Amino acid sequence: MFSKLSISAWNINGLKHYTLGDKLSNNDFIDNIKDHDLIFLTETWSKEINSIPGFKEISSLTATPKSNSSCRLSGGISLLFKKEFENIISLEKRTKNFLCCRIDNTILDSTKDLFICGVYIPPQNSRYFDEEIFDDLENDVVYFSKKRNVMLLGDFNARTSKLEDFVSKEGNTFINVITETSFQPKMRESFDNYINKHGKCLIEICKNCNLRILNGRTLGDSFGKPTSHSQKGSSVVDYIICGQELTQTIKNFIVKPPTYRSDHSKKSSHSCPYQ
């Protein structure tokens, strides 16, 4: 008997809120988390979190103070996962921007383990943005994809509009960048028509590493709904991205409506049959 693994990512704009208080003590907030097997929380603004009942937790390296005069921290990534997954999830790498774990293939309907990485990349104009972040991410994907399926999810602050995340076989003179198993996927849709430098970098990683963006081409989000909402407008900057082979196991991808709990929408995917 096989079920589906429910994986989610959410930029929560801090675990503490001046009106909501501790979000992990907020029943409404917990209800939005507990239905998932694994959920990456980004921008926790915390060094560590207290897990909710029935879940275990892994956090990234310590978040960085925003300034010498501010006590609030910046960044922070945490993975919450149900306790029954404790023995098959292991930490692979953690930095300020990446929290990468391995899910053992003993529960997956696959011969490969799943390398899953929660990502938070600061905006380009942020003092915390490192020009080598995208290079580091690509190097990790190349290394881990040799033996594992790969999934990236989180807030990339990358606006990609409808840029193709694959190398077209038609008219391509550099055919060596296309693997034998490559296929031309469905074109992406997006409500966001803007492209920034982060977006171009992310698309290059997808092309180089045979990764595909789920937003805007997957059942549940065929139109590419906005994931970030502010007074300046809405945009698509949060993604779930996975290796081309893994896309064949994805059943749906959902972007939740805006909520008072964060100015980012929660993204979730039901995929990867497990025993």
Coordinates of all heavy atoms in Angstrom, one line a residue, residues 29 51 53 66 73-74 90 97 99-100 148 204 215-216 240 242 264:
F29 N -2.1 28.7 13.0 CA -0.8 28.5 12.3 C -0.5 27.0 12.3 O 0.0 26.5 11.3 CB 0.3 29.3 13.0 CG 1.6 29.3 12.4 CD1 1.9 30.2 11.3 CD2 2.6 28.4 12.8 CE1 3.1 30.1 10.7 CE2 3.8 28.4 12.2 CZ 4.1 29.2 11.1
S51 N 9.7 22.5 18.4 CA 8.8 21.8 17.5 C 7.4 21.7 18.1 O 7.2 21.8 19.3 CB 9.4 20.4 17.2 OG 8.6 19.7 16.3
P53 N 3.8 19.5 18.7 CA 3.5 18.1 19.0 C 3.4 17.2 17.8 O 2.8 17.5 16.8 CB 2.2 18.2 19.8 CG 2.2 19.6 20.3 CD 2.8 20.4 19.3
K66 N 20.4 41.6 12.1 CA 20.2 42.5 11.0 C 21.2 43.7 11.1 O 21.6 44.3 10.1 CB 18.8 43.0 10.9 CG 17.9 41.9 10.4 CD 16.5 42.5 10.1 CE 16.5 43.3 8.8 NZ 16.8 42.5 7.6
L73 N 16.9 39.0 14.5 CA 17.7 38.2 13.7 C 17.2 38.2 12.2 O 16.1 38.5 11.9 CB 17.9 36.7 14.2 CG 18.4 36.6 15.6 CD1 18.3 35.2 16.1 CD2 19.8 37.2 15.7
S74 N 18.1 37.8 11.3 CA 17.8 37.7 9.9 C 17.9 36.3 9.4 O 18.8 35.5 9.8 CB 18.7 38.6 9.1 OG 18.4 38.5 7.7
S90 N 18.0 12.5 7.4 CA 19.3 12.8 8.0 C 19.8 14.1 7.4 O 19.6 14.4 6.3 CB 20.4 11.7 7.7 OG 20.5 11.5 6.3
N97 N 21.9 29.8 4.4 CA 21.0 29.9 3.2 C 20.4 28.6 2.8 O 19.4 28.6 2.1 CB 21.7 30.6 2.0 CG 22.3 31.9 2.4 OD1 23.5 32.1 2.5 ND2 21.4 32.9 2.5
L99 N 19.4 24.4 4.0 CA 19.2 23.4 4.9 C 18.9 22.1 4.1 O 17.8 22.0 3.6 CB 18.1 23.7 5.9 CG 17.8 22.6 7.0 CD1 19.1 22.3 7.9 CD2 16.6 23.0 7.9
C100 N 19.9 21.2 4.0 CA 19.7 20.1 3.1 C 19.7 18.8 3.8 O 20.5 18.5 4.7 CB 20.9 20.1 2.1 SG 21.2 21.7 1.2
R148 N 21.1 10.7 -6.2 CA 19.9 10.9 -5.6 C 19.0 11.8 -6.4 O 19.4 12.5 -7.3 CB 20.1 11.7 -4.2 CG 20.9 10.9 -3.3 CD 21.4 11.7 -2.1 NE 22.3 11.0 -1.3 CZ 23.1 11.5 -0.3 NH1 23.0 12.8 -0.1 NH2 23.9 10.7 0.4
E204 N 19.4 29.4 -15.0 CA 20.6 28.8 -15.5 C 20.9 27.5 -14.7 O 21.4 26.5 -15.3 CB 21.8 29.8 -15.4 CG 21.8 30.8 -16.5 CD 21.7 30.3 -17.9 OE1 22.6 29.4 -18.2 OE2 20.8 30.6 -18.6
N215 N 6.0 25.4 -10.2 CA 5.1 26.6 -10.3 C 4.7 26.8 -11.8 O 5.5 26.8 -12.7 CB 5.7 27.9 -9.9 CG 6.3 27.8 -8.5 OD1 7.2 26.9 -8.2 ND2 5.9 28.7 -7.6
G216 N 3.4 27.0 -12.0 CA 2.9 27.4 -13.3 C 2.7 26.3 -14.3 O 2.4 26.6 -15.5
I240 N 9.0 25.4 -5.7 CA 9.4 24.1 -5.5 C 10.0 23.6 -6.9 O 9.3 23.7 -7.9 CB 8.3 23.1 -5.0 CG1 7.8 23.6 -3.6 CG2 8.8 21.7 -5.0 CD1 6.7 22.7 -3.0
C242 N 12.4 20.5 -8.9 CA 12.9 19.2 -8.7 C 13.5 18.6 -10.0 O 13.3 19.2 -11.1 CB 11.8 18.2 -8.2 SG 10.4 18.0 -9.2
H264 N 4.0 35.9 2.6 CA 4.3 34.9 1.5 C 3.2 33.7 1.6 O 2.8 33.4 2.7 CB 5.7 34.3 1.8 CG 6.8 35.2 1.4 ND1 7.6 35.0 0.3 CD2 7.3 36.3 2.0 CE1 8.5 36.0 0.2 NE2 8.3 36.8 1.3

